[in-house]
Amino acid sequence: MSTQLTVLALLTGLVTGGLFRFLNIPIPAPPELPGLMGIVGIYLGYRVVEYFGVGVDLLETLGL
């Protein structure tokens, strides 16, 4: 993973968050710690399944 890409993503998030606050628009993310931890859990679950190499191609299973 590129450190430069990670820093750019963080800066983009900071600018976007600042713009949302400046315009008094609610952020499209959970404003509370439990909601944030849910997002972290989704990411970690995704990475664990990817690490073990298991999964199903849902579109192929449905014939699409």
Side-chain angles (χ1 to χ4, degrees), residues 1 37-56:
M1 180 180 298
M37 293 311 294
I39 291 173
V40 171
I42 290 170
Y43 173 77
L44 291 176
Y46 181 91
R47 297 299 291 195
V48 166
V49 170
E50 181 181 52
Y51 175 79
F52 286 109
V54 296
V56 174

Side-chain angles (χ1 to χ4, degrees), residues 3 6 13 16 20:
T3 302
T6 303
T16 304
F20 272 79

Side-chain angles (χ1 to χ4, degrees), residues 17-46:
L19 182 63
F20 272 79
R21 182 63 189 143
F22 180 76
L23 297 174
N24 290 323
I25 300 171
I27 58 173
E32 302 287 330
L33 183 59
L36 182 60
M37 293 311 294
I39 291 173
V40 171
I42 290 170
Y43 173 77
L44 291 176
Y46 181 91

